[in-house]
């Protein structure tokens, strides 16, 4: 069974940064990359708020750079998913989806978060037939078509803006009467003539023969102004936030009420000694690439201090 001093789970900015710091501290580590190598940033367009790139950088390129930097310094990486971690034993025993088991003295959980869906049966019915949670991945299929994006945060605005360069028209379906996105993103969608914002609106269903042809919407739901109406669309994009990827931990690490890993203090330690967490999986608040990278650095330093103790 392969043994490592530190097993890093996840290949986003947190995981790669932790690997960079650990190998530079001469601590043997292995990074398990997960299904989506590079994490969420590989599904975005240009990143303009990661310092060091005056003209912005493509998300996939940024993640490839981080990966290559870690590899160049000597980090070990393995593709695959961690399906279980036994934290009752020392060293920890980690099981991968190919059945392989590994042991590790410490673990950094950097598994990020996954897109949320509304929970409508139609989202499943039309999965891959007009429903998507990634505009960058699927937007190309909707050139000169009409699409809708659900959500009022930065992701929704960014996706609506991105899709407006491909599609003929973009509806932005926002359940409240305001956008939660940053001022800059709000301005970008408000000033975009191809984007129509539907405030106070919820989606109740989708319709279409063999693919999405429209959405059933309700405005001012539950009030005396409630109004049902349909829009004709070809694509329906979810951008309503993310759920932290913590299921494989099997309840062994303490989580908050939303499922994010609880850190015990000002460092990256969890309630299990030797298990640390970094990035979106433990960050319900900031959820930024640069914050995740910083947390990966902190986790690596915490691991080094823990091992030297
Ligand atoms: P957010 O949690 O910020 O926003 C989620 C949006 O989806 C909100 O408008 C929310 O509505 C709406 N929503 C949630 N559930 C439902 C539902 N069931 N039905 C309808 N609408 C729903 O998530 P984001 O993914 O947008 O952003 C996450 C973090 O990442 C944020 O901190 C954001 O600033 C950051 N980010 C930064 C970017 C950048 O700087 N370039 C790009 C993308 C994200 P409500 O407001 O009513 O709760």
């Amino acid at each position: 069974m392969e043994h490592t001093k530190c097993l890093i789970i996840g290949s986003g900015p947190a995981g790669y940064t932790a690997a960079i710091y650990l190998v530079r501290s001469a601590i043997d580590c292995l990074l398990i990359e997960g299904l989506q190598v590079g994490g969420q940033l590989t599904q975005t367009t240009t990143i303009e708020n990661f310092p060091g790139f005056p003209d912005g950088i493509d998300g996939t390129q940024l993640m490839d750079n981080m990966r290559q930097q870690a590899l160049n310094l000597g980090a070990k990486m393995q593709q695959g998913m961690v399906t279980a971690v036994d934290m009752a034993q020392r060293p920890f025993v980690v099981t991968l989806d190919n059945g392989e088991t590994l042991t590790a003295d410490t673990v950094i959980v950097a598994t990020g978060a996954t897109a949320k869906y509304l929970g409508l049966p139609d989202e499943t019915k039309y999965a891959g037939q007009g429903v998507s949670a990634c505009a960058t991945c699927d937007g190309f299929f909707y050139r000169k078509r009409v699409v809708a994006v659900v959500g009022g945060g930065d992701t929704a605005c960014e996706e609506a803006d991105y899709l407006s360069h491909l599609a003929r028209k973009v509806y932005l379906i926002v359940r409240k009467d305001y956008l939660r996105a940053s001022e800059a993103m709000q301005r970008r969608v408000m000033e975009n003539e191809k984007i129509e914002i539907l405030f106070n609106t919820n989606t109740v269903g989708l319709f279409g023969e063999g693919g999405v042809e429209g959405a059933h919407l309700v405005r001012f739901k539950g009030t005396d102004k409630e109004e049902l109406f349909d829009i004709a669309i070809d694509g329906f994009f979810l951008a309503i936030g993310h759920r932290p990827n913590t299921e494989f931990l099997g309840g062994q690490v303490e989580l908050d009420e939303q499922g994010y890993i609880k850190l015990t203090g000002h460092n990256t330690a969890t309630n299990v000694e030797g298990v640390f967490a970094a990035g979106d999986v433990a960050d319900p608040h900031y959820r930024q690439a640069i914050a995740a990278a910083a947390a990966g650095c902190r986790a690596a330093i915490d691991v080094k201090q823990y091992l030297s103790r």
Side-chain angles (χ1 to χ4, degrees):
M1 214 188 289
E2 187 176 346
H3 179 77
T4 181
K5 287 251 175 242
C6 181
L7 188 88
I8 303 166
I9 311 174
S11 60
Y16 287 144
T17 306
I20 289 167
Y21 271 77
L22 286 170
V23 286
R24 292 191 78 255
S25 304
I27 293 172
D28 160 58
C29 66
L30 173 65
L31 185 149
I32 307 295
E33 295 192 282
L35 279 187
Q36 190 182 60
V37 176
Q40 289 178 70
L41 285 195
T42 60
Q43 303 205 334
T44 62
T45 48
T46 307
I47 313 284
E48 291 176 340
N49 52 10
F50 201 96
F53 302 95
D55 301 318
I57 182 166
D58 174 78
T60 304
Q61 186 62 55
L62 178 64
M63 297 319 298
D64 284 351
N65 290 356
M66 287 191 201
R67 183 174 191 274
Q68 199 54 51
Q69 188 174 346
L71 286 171
N72 291 350
L73 289 164
K76 283 183 282 176
M77 297 190 197
Q78 184 170 333
Q79 290 203 352
M81 294 282 288
V82 172
T83 52
V85 185
D86 183 349
M87 292 174 180
Q89 303 188 45
R90 293 292 188 279
F92 302 119
V93 179
V94 180
T95 308
L96 304 184
D97 56 352
N98 64 1
E100 196 183 332
T101 50
L102 310 162
T103 56
D105 292 329
T106 59
V107 172
I108 295 176
V109 182
T111 44
T114 300
K116 281 188 197 166
Y117 284 76
L118 295 171
L120 300 172
D122 286 340
E123 288 170 320
T124 318
K125 181 176 169 187
Y126 294 106
Q129 293 184 302
V131 172
S132 168
C134 177
T136 325
C137 317
D138 301 325
F140 186 73
F141 302 117
Y142 299 93
R143 278 167 302 159
K144 306 216 178 344
R145 314 282 284 276
V146 180
V147 298
V149 176
V150 185
D154 280 312
T155 304
C157 292
E158 204 170 83
E159 303 229 323
D161 181 62
Y162 173 76
L163 287 165
S164 74
H165 299 290
L166 297 163
R168 182 155 47 90
K169 180 182 173 83
V170 180
Y171 290 102
L172 184 58
I173 304 172
V174 183
R175 67 178 173 182
K176 294 209 174 116
D177 62 357
Y178 61 88
L179 293 169
R180 185 200 283 212
S182 59
E183 288 292 324
M185 283 313 298
Q186 288 193 32
R187 213 172 317 116
R188 199 175 291 182
V189 294
M190 301 265 194
E191 289 171 0
N192 188 325
E193 287 178 355
K194 280 171 126 186
I195 300 176
E196 180 177 341
I197 307 178
L198 303 174
F199 285 110
N200 302 300
T201 303
N202 284 282
T203 311
V204 287
L206 300 169
F207 59 87
E209 294 284 330
V212 171
E213 290 175 8
H216 301 299
L217 306 179
V218 55
R219 199 166 5 229
F220 298 118
K221 191 174 172 206
T223 73
D224 51 6
K225 289 194 283 181
E226 184 170 303
E227 175 197 357
L228 288 165
F229 63 107
D230 290 349
I231 53 171
I233 51 168
D234 306 292
F236 183 76
F237 289 84
L238 285 309
I240 59 168
H242 291 79
R243 183 170 293 110
N245 297 318
T246 49
E247 272 161 32
F248 71 99
L249 296 170
Q252 296 170 94
V253 174
E254 199 180 345
L255 309 177
D256 71 10
E257 55 292 339
Q258 294 176 71
Y260 288 89
I261 294 177
K262 265 192 181 175
L263 302 179
T264 53
H266 293 299
N267 60 20
T268 61
T270 69
N271 66 313
V272 180
E273 248 190 60
V275 177
F276 301 82
D280 284 15
V281 75
D283 179 7
H285 187 61
Y286 297 105
R287 296 182 289 187
Q288 299 295 305
I290 189 69
C297 152
R298 294 167 63 222
I301 292 171
D302 292 340
V303 162
K304 183 172 163 43
Q305 284 173 356
Y306 173 83
L307 289 173
S308 56
R309 275 205 304 272

